[in-house]
Amino acid sequence: MKQTRKRLGDLLVEAGLITEDQLQSTLLEKSPSQKLGDALLQRGHITEQQLIEVLEFQLGIPHISLYRYPFETKLFSLIPKDIAKRNLLIPLKKDGDKLFVAMADPMDFFAIDDLRLSTGFQIETAIATKDDIIRAINKYYDIDEGFEEMLGDLPSIENGQEEKITDQDSPIVRLVNQLLSNAAALKASDIHIDPQETKVVVRYRIDGVLRVERVLPKHMQSVLAARIKIMANLDITEHRVPQDGRIKINLDFHPIDLRVSTLPTVYGEKMVMRILDMGSALNDLNKLGFNKLNMKRFTEMIEKPTGIVLITGPTGSGKSSTLYAALNKLNNEEVNIITIEDPVEYQLEGINQIQVNSNVGMTFAKGLRSILRQDPNIIMVGEIRDKETVEVAIRASLTGHLVLSTLHTNDSLGTITRLLDMGVEPFLVASSLSGIVAQRLVRKVCRDCAEQQAPTKREIDIFAKRGMKVDTITRGRGCSSCNMTGYKGRLAIHEILVINDEMRRVIMNGESFTRLRELAMKYKTVFLIDDGLLKIKQGLTTTEEVLRVAIPE
């Protein structure tokens, strides 16, 4: 008797991974050519690991993890890299006339047929996650035998052999491309190239934490620096002063923008490349991790027609993403939105964006004054750095504009003190400020290897101090999809201070900081540490992560 196969959607609902509503809405919204699994992944309803486990059950095909898999590198010559990347597959091992291949989609019979014809082997498939396969291809494919030797006799730039670092097949060009595609596959936000006394260390910042990707010999330093400078249109003969540039490239049919910064150090030039992935710009306020109360307060603040809304936090705390998400929500044909930024990170349609250029005297303050003559409704100032910018921004907000901006301070209450320290009159601060958002990014527990544990005594104490109880803490065990860290992706924790009339009076009268704090507590402000603890209770992050960015009082 022929057994009927269940459909993927029904299996996922049965396994309790998605609800019937999520399945139906995804089926309605997805494009006809898109597979259901991919559509559910894209909306974040399931993780890749969960999808694979259900597919494994449905298709009866084994699932394999490629983390530290002992690959037979000889087999890579059978399947060219572009075919492996296009069809998302990688050869695992050979057994007689059988070739075992890991695939992201083992139902892709065209790819399997092509492989059988081109290699002459019978193809046996296993399932692996898409990220796993891309990571393995980037890591192992370029380490063919000749690659390391070719890097050994790299020319030095001084010999005038510049074509060696612009020719697409030269080893240094391949090395830089490999570093970039690896970083994009691992979803790194920055690439650091650190020269040391005897070596050059390449590190990636993944989910806010730096980790060493590879160590290169010292003699490659100058060629590597020169190649990156050529890509970023910088002066390759200048080693003594810092330089800044941009690179726009397509990696695996995916546009990526890089901000490059060089800095002369004792052992040569340190380079940092910030990766701005155009495809993954977070433009939806609902995806930023606001809790219900904070979401309501933030939306009310940005929907006021006038006033200043400040977003504060250290470098790399996601301030720009929150600003862009807010602008995206406010962006429609009825309002004129103008931004002045340094540099313009993401280009948004329907918004006029200005780039600061201090070489020609185009500063934040000067740009802001010109913007006011352009009849704007909403103004976004990339960063408030000095008294002059603050004063123009305040004047703009008092003359009927909504101003959004960022400031580097530790918490929401500290921002008020900082503005007063900058020399702004207390009555101006009080009358123009609508609200302040302080935010930090914490790493999310990997959904594939999360397990619940009992809290330690210290954790129970931390929660008790803030008047909360905790029963279980979720931590990641470490698996191939999170590179054994137990964390995958990041989310923001927020502290939103709404400035009301009582606070305005306190600021105007120059009363103490403690009084402001009491008022914030009275109006149920959720402090950073509290929002973090709430997210720990929801199983989204861990105590270590929250304490790394927020200080318990």
Side-chain angles (χ1 to χ4, degrees), residues 277-292:
D277 186 343
M278 293 305 166
S280 71
L282 259 182
N283 285 333
D284 186 356
L285 268 187
N286 302 318
K287 290 185 184 157
L288 293 181
F290 280 108
N291 64 42
K292 281 189 185 129

Side-chain angles (χ1 to χ4, degrees), residues 76-102:
F76 291 154
S77 56
L78 289 173
I79 304 175
K81 184 177 178 182
D82 55 336
I83 291 177
K85 268 202 159 161
R86 192 168 60 237
N87 296 319
L88 289 173
L89 51 88
I90 191 163
L92 298 170
K93 59 179 183 184
K94 192 172 77 180
D95 182 8
D97 66 341
K98 286 182 181 166
L99 177 66
F100 289 83
V101 178

Side-chain angles (χ1 to χ4, degrees), residues 336-391:
N336 176 17
I337 302 179
I338 306 182
T339 75
I340 176 156
E341 305 167 60
D342 180 22
V344 172
E345 288 191 26
Y346 297 110
Q347 279 135 17
L348 300 175
E349 209 172 317
I351 290 178
N352 310 291
Q353 294 170 284
I354 306 169
Q355 169 94 33
V356 166
N357 184 349
S358 44
N359 299 340
V360 294
M362 176 65 153
T363 58
F364 275 119
K366 195 168 180 184
L368 244 178
R369 284 198 182 90
S370 318
I371 288 174
L372 291 175
R373 300 187 202 107
Q374 290 277 323
D375 178 34
N377 300 88
I378 298 164
I379 301 168
M380 190 265 260
V381 184
E383 191 184 330
I384 287 181
R385 293 179 186 164
D386 50 37
K387 186 183 173 187
E388 193 184 5
T389 317
V390 184
E391 287 186 335

Side-chain angles (χ1 to χ4, degrees), residues 11-19 22 45-46 50-51 54 447:
L11 279 169
L12 288 166
V13 173
E14 267 176 37
L17 296 173
I18 58 171
T19 62
Q22 287 174 330
H45 294 326
I46 52 171
Q50 290 168 335
L51 176 65
V54 172
R447 279 167 61 177

Side-chain angles (χ1 to χ4, degrees), residues 5 35 55 58-59 61 103-112 125:
R5 272 225 178 103
K35 295 187 181 122
L55 280 175
Q58 187 196 23
L59 307 171
I61 294 175
M103 299 180 74
D105 178 12
M107 305 299 285
D108 188 346
F109 298 117
F110 292 114
I112 295 171
T125 56

